[in-house]
């Protein structure tokens, strides 16, 4: 019995030495008072070494619950945490800060993931210098033409967009609305060559593209260029010429070149055809074929001026030719420069998907007999890029497509006879398709 008591005393002395340094090892009351909670905790331990190992491990674990999350994740260890508060000066609490930083970065890492969508908004930041240059020059061109055709900013912007993209314009409106003045004002605002062709029923293709003749003085054939060899060509009342003469414009409008007597001649760049026609007075006119209509990038109207604009025009009644009052604000190289800048505008995949859905909707509509071709989708894409740059943005948004869809796609579709008799127009059908096809949310908040 005395040996067992000595063994117990030895164990208790070792326990007291490790658990509480400030207490004296010769005080048995303090040893027994501290041993009381440890005996029911490990009733099966008999060996002194095993019990000392268990207690030392038991003392190491309370040092970890210093984290505030332990009481919530391990509620059963809240009671052993009381003796830990008595041994705060132990050096075992020092490794705890090393383990804590390993958890804090894990908590901050998920917060960095939601910040990734902000990277997509980097394209919504301040525009670059090229985009600002495009915006300023586009505004100068629109302001110059607006002095000729007052109060018609939308068709003027559309014509300027077609000029920059490299497409052609079809102006269809009633007589006296300023179609010819708009074309001449645009030509005078850019320092480029300009020619006008008055289409009549007796006009021949050679009168447009040129002719090869025999020069008796030199003894050889020479090619004399027609009025089509100009940067801006005004085809006034194009529907009054015969289909044979109208077909002379098909090659030059699509391929930017003219073939006469087997020889190909390139037209100057930039090149643009502005054609006008009247929706009335169909007697003695020829409807433009669908192939030629598809080659026009944009078809738009001007409309009558508002009341206030009409009054201001009458105050300047002495000005007989408003197009001659404007001067060139851009050069041909500036237009080519702006075209190169527009090609760098960002187009999201959602915008491209939206354009394709709009074009496909024209092919599956029951009121549309012939839908838009792929040329219409390409034209809408190019115009959307230039339209976005004109608004001082380096990326396109769905509103750019919506504002141009009617002018780009309406003249490329053919309605059924039933829809025509019902009073529908191609413009109304495109507007209905814009309402039915959902637009993406890319950049919609900008």
């Amino acid at each position: 019995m005395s040996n067992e008591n000595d063994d117990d005393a030895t164990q208790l002395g070792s326990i007291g030495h490790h658990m509480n340094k400030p207490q004296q090892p010769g005080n048995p009351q303090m040893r027994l008072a501290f041993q009381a909670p440890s005996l029911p905790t490990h009733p099966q331990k008999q060996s002194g070494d095993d019990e000392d190992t268990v207690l030392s491990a038991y003392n190491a674990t309370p040092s970890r619950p210093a984290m505030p999350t332990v009481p919530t994740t391990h509620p059963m260890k809240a009671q052993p945490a009381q003796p830990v508060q008595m041994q705060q000066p132990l050096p075992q609490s020092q490794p705890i800060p090393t383990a804590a930083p390993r958890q804090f970065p894990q908590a901050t890492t998920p917060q960095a993931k939601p910040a990734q969508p902000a990277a997509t908004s980097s394209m919504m930041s301040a525009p670059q210098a090229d985009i600002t240059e495009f915006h300023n020059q586009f505004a100068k061109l629109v302001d110059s033409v607006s002095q000729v055709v007052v109060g018609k900013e939308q068709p003027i912007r559309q014509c300027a967009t077609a000029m920059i993209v490299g497409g052609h314009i079809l102006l269809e409106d009633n007589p006296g609305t300023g179609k010819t003045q708009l074309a001449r004002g645009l030509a005078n605002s850019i320092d480029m060559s300009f020619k006008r062709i008055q289409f009549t029923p007796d006009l021949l293709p050679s009168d447009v593209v040129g002719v090869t003749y025999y020069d008796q003085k030199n003894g050889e054939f020479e090619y004399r260029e027609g009025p089509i060899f100009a940067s801006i060509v005004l085809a006034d009342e194009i529907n009054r010429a015969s289909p044979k003469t109208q077909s002379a414009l098909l090659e030059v409008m699509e391929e930017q070149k003219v073939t006469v007597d087997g020889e190909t001649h390139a037209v100057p760049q930039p090149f643009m055809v502005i054609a006008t026609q009247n929706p009335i007075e169909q007697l003695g006119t020829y409807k433009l074929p669908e192939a030629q209509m598809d080659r026009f990038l944009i078809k738009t109207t001007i409309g009558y001026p508002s009341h206030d604009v009409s009054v201001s025009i009458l105050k300047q009644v002495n000005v007989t030719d408003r197009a001659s009052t404007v001067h060139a604000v851009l050069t041909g190289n500036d237009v080519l420069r702006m075209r190169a800048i527009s090609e760098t505008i960002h187009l999201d995949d959602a915008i491209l998907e939206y354009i394709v859905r709009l074009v496909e909707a024209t092919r599956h509509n029951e009121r549309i007999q012939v839908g838009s071709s792929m040329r219409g989708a390409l034209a809408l894409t190019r115009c959307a890029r230039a339209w976005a740059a004109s608004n001082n943005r380096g990326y396109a948004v769905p509103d750019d497509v919506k504002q141009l869809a009617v002018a780009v796609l309406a003249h490329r579709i053919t309605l059924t006879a039933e829809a025509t008799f019902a009073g529908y127009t191609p413009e109304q059908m495109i507007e209905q398709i814009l309402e039915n096809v959902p637009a993406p949310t890319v950049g919609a908040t900008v």
Side-chain angles (χ1 to χ4, degrees), residues 169-186:
I169 287 285
L170 177 61
L171 299 176
E172 184 180 44
D173 212 333
N174 297 326
T177 53
K179 299 186 297 297
T180 305
Q181 288 291 319
L182 175 58
R184 294 181 62 244
L186 181 63

Side-chain angles (χ1 to χ4, degrees), residues 44 66 81 92 165 172 192 225 296 323 326 329-330 347 365 415:
Q44 297 179 358
Q92 297 178 356
V165 172
E172 184 180 44
M192 296 186 302
E225 295 180 350
F296 284 103
V326 299
V329 296
L330 297 178
L347 283 173
N365 194 295
L415 302 184

Side-chain angles (χ1 to χ4, degrees), residues 251-273:
E251 181 184 10
V252 66
M253 292 176 62
E254 179 64 21
E255 302 178 10
Q256 310 287 312
K257 61 183 180 180
V258 176
T259 302
V260 178
D261 294 335
E263 295 184 3
T264 302
H265 308 274
V267 295
Q269 293 296 328
F271 176 76
M272 179 183 185
V273 174

Side-chain angles (χ1 to χ4, degrees), residues 216-238:
Q216 296 181 357
K217 182 178 180 179
N218 297 328
E220 59 184 7
F221 288 93
E222 292 185 2
Y223 173 69
R224 178 177 295 176
E225 295 180 350
I228 198 64
F229 286 88
S231 294
I232 300 179
V233 179
L234 174 59
D236 207 357
E237 294 184 306
I238 188 175

Side-chain angles (χ1 to χ4, degrees), residues 114-156:
Q116 292 179 359
T120 59
S121 63
S122 62
M123 65 181 181
M124 303 178 186
S125 59
Q128 301 177 357
D130 294 342
I131 306 301
T132 305
E133 176 187 358
F134 186 103
H135 171 70
N136 295 334
Q137 292 184 348
F138 191 90
K140 287 176 12 179
L141 179 60
V142 173
D143 293 341
S144 178
V145 183
S146 297
Q147 299 178 10
V148 179
V149 183
V150 185
K152 300 297 180 181
E153 183 179 358
Q154 186 72 5
I156 293 174

